[in-house]
Amino acid sequence: MGNRAVITTAERKIGLYLHWNGGRDTVEPLLRYCELKGYRAPSNDDYGWARLCQVVGNFFGGTLSVGIMPYSDDGRMDPGDNGIYVIEGWRIADRILPYEGFVEQSSHDFDGMLRAFDEAMPEGERLGDLLDAEEVPASELEIGDEVWVSDFDGRWEHYPVVARSEKGTPLVARYDHDGDWNWNPNNRIESETALIVPRG
């Protein structure tokens, strides 16, 4: 017996089998962790499957807790317990429940699971303090806020907001050019939301 689930995408080409921790209270933090790591999603790229397997394999250890297989059809792939999660990007887009009257498991804390995944990663690949970040609308960023920014290799660093562009875009002190922070587009926070070091 286990606490099983299968994760797939809308294309139904691959199924990732979880023998343990198949509840939504583990799967959602798992997907969020992969998103924070900056991994390409399985719905867009085969490398996404590899990174998802890497995180879950590090977490479980052993040899039998996670599997990956060609997807046949929903009926054959349904493992019981928690059913099938269909993901789009790093979000659950659909769910095939295992039986009528299914009750969702809710025994694992979301932030606790994020930290558990992080602790299972090799030390140099952990997110660490980023997991304490607050998400705020980028339009509400203030001068002095420390904004987490991901590098091309998926590593995160935080930089202070030092100015705004003429269009009002927040600028962080990442790449200086004689005090001109607008010169490099990597200084601009152009996303709708930003992760910041908690204020005060």
Side-chain angles (χ1 to χ4, degrees):
M1 294 298 292
N3 187 20
R4 301 162 297 179
V6 165
I7 300 173
T8 191
T9 60
E11 295 76 22
R12 306 287 209 279
K13 291 182 179 177
I14 292 175
L16 173 65
Y17 170 72
L18 305 177
H19 189 72
W20 303 106
N21 289 71
R24 193 177 191 115
D25 56 354
T26 293
V27 173
E28 279 189 329
L30 168 64
L31 299 175
R32 177 60 173 156
Y33 186 81
C34 291
E35 180 179 39
L36 287 171
K37 287 289 292 176
Y39 297 151
R40 295 177 283 191
S43 53
N44 300 329
D45 193 297
D46 288 343
Y47 281 97
W49 285 115
R51 299 293 72 76
L52 183 59
C53 290
Q54 179 180 359
V55 172
V56 107
N58 286 343
F59 174 72
F60 285 130
T63 59
L64 299 174
S65 296
V66 60
I68 193 160
M69 64 210 79
Y71 201 94
S72 53
D73 61 59
D74 293 345
R76 290 191 181 102
M77 295 299 290
D78 188 344
D81 293 332
N82 296 282
I84 300 168
Y85 297 89
V86 182
I87 63 172
E88 169 109 24
W90 291 116
R91 301 284 183 270
I92 297 168
D94 195 10
R95 183 79 176 278
I96 298 150
L97 297 175
Y99 52 85
E100 189 174 341
F102 172 79
V103 177
E104 195 71 67
Q105 174 181 302
S106 60
S107 57
H108 298 298
D109 172 70
F110 191 96
D111 288 340
M113 286 306 304
L114 285 177
R115 282 166 173 74
F117 289 124
D118 202 47
E119 289 168 10
M121 294 291 280
E123 189 172 349
E125 296 184 32
R126 294 179 188 158
L127 294 174
D129 291 342
L130 174 68
L131 296 178
D132 296 321
E134 294 177 5
E135 189 169 14
V136 299
S139 61
E140 296 177 12
L141 287 172
E142 302 170 3
I143 301 298
D145 280 340
E146 292 280 337
V147 180
W148 287 97
V149 179
S150 177
D151 209 340
F152 69 92
D153 61 358
R155 296 185 188 275
W156 291 83
E157 295 287 342
H158 54 83
Y159 304 91
V161 176
V162 290
R164 287 189 174 271
S165 71
E166 291 179 4
K167 295 182 179 179
T169 305
L171 304 171
V172 296
R174 191 174 181 191
Y175 299 106
D176 190 10
H177 186 68
D178 297 326
D180 176 13
W181 302 106
N182 197 43
W183 77 284
N184 190 315
N186 293 303
N187 292 333
R188 301 175 198 149
I189 305 300
E190 297 182 305
S191 54
E192 290 186 11
T193 63
L195 295 171
I196 65 169
V197 174
R199 295 166 175 157

